Amino acid sequence: MLRFKSRAGCELELEEEQLRTNCRNQKENKHSETTGLTTGKQVQAPDSPSKTFVVCSQGVCGFFETPQERPTEKGETMSAGIFQSGGRDKCRLHMVTWNVATAEPPEDVASLMQLDVQPPTDIYVIGLQEVNATPVRFISDLLVEDSWSHVFMETLAPRGFVKVTSVRMQGLLLLVFAKQMHLPFIRNIQTTYTRTGIFGYWGNKGGVSVRFSFYGHMVCFLNCHLAAHMNYALQRVDEIEHILEKQDFDITDTPHVRDHKVVFWFGDLNFRIADHGLHFLRSSINSERLNLLWSKDQLTMMKKNEPFLQEFEEGPLNFKPTYKFNRNSDTYDTSSVKTWFGFNGKKRKPAWTDRILWRIKPKTFPSEDDDDKASISTVDETEEYPLLVIQDKYTCDMSYGVSDHKPVIATFSLELKKCYDTPQVHVSPLGVWCADHDALLTYTVQEDFMSSTWDWIGLYKVGFKSASDYETFVWVREEELPEINEVIQISMDKDGIPLLGGQFVLGYYSTNMQSIIGFSANFQILESKRAVMEGLVPENINGLK
C-alpha cells in the first residue's frame, strides 16, 4: 500500500484518505466550491492541504496553492496597520519588473526591495521575465521553489511578509507578497495566463496575472513579455489587446482584466526608440537629455492612436533606458552580431523595454470617436468606496548586472476607503502549548463566507514564508459547517508541535478563497521535555548544561 508522510511525521493511508474524501464530498454537495482550476487532473498533496498537483489540458502542470508600524503624519490616525487620512486609508505598494535573461538570482536583493524605506511597504509585486525554463529546470521548479522565488521569500519573510500567491508560465513569473496583517483582507485570489509566442502554443511570450480583492477593492496585476525587435510595435499592441480580451476570471463582477478597479500592467513590453540613430541615442543618454527621446518611444507613439492604451497611465521616463547592457556592467551593448558574412559591429539600441503602467477603471469608457483622454487618475468624491493611486517613484536599479536588462522599480501610495476591516474568522490558542501534550484551540466564524470541511488551521512559526510553510495543521470541524459567532474547539496533535517551542501564530486557511482569512495573536510554545531526551538541547544538571 502506498503511503505519504506528512511534515508532522504522520502516515496517511490512501484508502483511508479516499474514504474521508468521499465523506467530505457528500457533505459539501450543499456548498459550491470555486477553485479556479476546472480542467485537467488534480491530486491533492497529503503533506500540504494547500497544494494540488494539476495537469491542465493546455499543458501547464505543477503544484498550485489552493490558496511595523508606520509613523503617522499630521492629521492621520492608524487603522488596521495602515495610514488613515481624510477618511481614507493609505498603503504602500512596491513593484518590480525585471527580465532576468535566464540568470540565477544575485545573493542580495535587499536594495531592490528597498526594505528600509519610510513609510514601510505593505505589498510587494514582482514580475520576472525569461526565468530559466529549460525542460529539466522547469520540472524541478514544480517540485521545489524556484531559485528566484526562494531568494525573495528568504529576504521578505524575516520582515513579516508572506507570499500571497504566484503564477508561472514558462519563463514568466509573478509573485505577490503582503504584510501578514493584510492577509485576512486579501480575498478571492485567482491567477491565469495567456500565451502569445509561437502562434500561441508556447509560453515564451504572453502574460500572467493575479487578481484579488484588497479590503473590498478589486485589483489586478498583469505581467507581460511581448514580441521583440524594432519592427514589431504593431504586433506588440495586438498582443496586449489580445491578452486583455482573452484573460478571464471566475468572478461575477470582474470577469475580465479591465473590469477591475485598478489594473497594473508591467513587464518586458519590448517597445523601442524609433528613428534615432545609435550615436544620437547614446549621446542623449550620456548627457542626461532623456527628454529628447521620449517622443520617439514606441509605446508613447502607439498610445496616441490606441484608445485602450490611453486608459493606462505611466510616470515620466526619468531614468536611463534599461536595455541592452553588457552583463555585470553599466555599459550598453558592445557585442557584435553574427551575419552570413561573419561578424559586424551592429549593436542593440538602448530602449525603455521594461515598463510599469496602471489604470483606474473609468466611470464610462470613452467612445472610439472621442479624442479626449478619459480622466482615470482621480477619485470620484461621490463614490462610497473610492480608491486613488499615486505614484511616488519610477526608476531603475543600475546596481544589478546579472542580466542584460536592469530592473525597474515603481512605488505607489494607494488611498482607499476599506469596504470591510473585520477578519472572517478569529482563531485563538487555549492554555499552555507544549509538545508534551495535545494542544487546544478555538475558532469563530465572524462573517459568512463559503466555508468548507476541507478548510484547515495551520501552526506557523513567526516569520513564515507562505500558507504552505506550516509546522503542522488540523482540519476544521468535520461534522457540520459552523454557525456565525459559534465558538468551536478542536485539538492539535502533540506530535506536530515543535519540540523546541518559540513564537508561533495560528492561521485559518480557506480552500475556496485560496488564502488565510484569519490569524491568532502571536503566542509562545514552551520547550518540550522530549527535546532533551532526543538530544535537541543539552540536559540541565545542577544549573549546568
Side-chain angles (χ1 to χ4, degrees), residues 16-32:
E16 295 174 356
E17 187 67 13
Q18 186 60 51
L19 290 173
R20 184 176 189 176
T21 300
N22 294 340
C23 179
R24 287 177 182 251
N25 287 341
Q26 291 175 4
K27 296 172 186 174
E28 293 178 345
N29 283 338
K30 302 176 183 179
H31 300 272
S32 162

Side-chain angles (χ1 to χ4, degrees), residues 33-216:
E33 296 194 18
T34 56
T35 64
L37 295 170
T38 56
T39 60
K41 301 177 181 179
Q42 304 184 18
V43 180
Q44 191 167 16
D47 65 335
S48 175
S50 65
K51 286 188 176 182
T52 304
F53 188 83
V54 181
V55 181
C56 299
S57 59
Q58 294 91 344
V60 175
C61 61
F63 280 104
F64 289 76
E65 299 207 3
T66 54
Q68 49 205 233
E69 256 181 54
R70 290 178 175 274
T72 57
E73 299 178 5
K74 186 175 180 180
E76 295 180 331
T77 59
M78 297 298 291
S79 174
I82 59 179
F83 276 130
Q84 192 173 69
S85 177
R88 293 195 295 267
D89 296 291
K90 295 169 66 177
C91 75
R92 185 180 178 87
L93 168 65
H94 183 105
M95 296 186 62
V96 174
T97 180
W98 193 4
N99 184 321
V100 299
T102 71
E104 288 300 299
E107 293 182 2
D108 186 1
V109 293
S111 67
L112 188 63
M113 299 290 96
Q114 299 179 355
L115 297 175
D116 298 319
V117 70
Q118 293 296 329
T121 300
D122 295 282
I123 298 176
Y124 283 98
V125 176
I126 303 158
L128 304 179
Q129 306 85 41
E130 292 195 29
V131 175
N132 192 336
T134 58
V136 173
R137 184 58 179 272
F138 187 71
I139 292 173
S140 69
D141 288 346
L142 296 176
L143 303 177
V144 295
E145 207 76 57
D146 67 271
S147 58
W148 283 95
S149 297
H150 178 78
V151 73
F152 285 118
M153 291 168 72
E154 291 292 325
T155 300
L156 294 175
R159 298 292 186 119
F161 288 92
V162 180
K163 189 180 81 169
V164 175
T165 190
S166 65
V167 57
R168 182 170 179 183
M169 181 185 73
Q170 293 294 99
L172 273 170
L173 175 63
L174 177 54
L175 301 161
V176 178
F177 296 85
K179 276 283 192 181
Q180 179 185 316
M181 62 185 177
H182 296 310
L183 261 61
F185 309 103
I186 298 177
R187 304 174 183 175
N188 297 320
I189 304 166
Q190 289 193 13
T191 65
T192 190
Y193 57 88
T194 302
R195 298 185 181 97
T196 59
I198 311 181
F199 307 105
Y201 290 104
W202 190 245
N204 62 324
K205 294 290 193 297
V208 294
S209 61
V210 169
R211 65 86 54 203
F212 51 79
S213 166
F214 183 63
Y215 291 96

Side-chain angles (χ1 to χ4, degrees), residues 307-324:
F308 83 94
L309 289 179
Q310 294 168 16
E311 297 171 8
F312 287 90
E313 297 197 43
E314 183 180 20
L317 298 170
N318 287 327
F319 53 90
K320 290 183 176 181
T322 53
Y323 175 82
K324 172 181 170 75

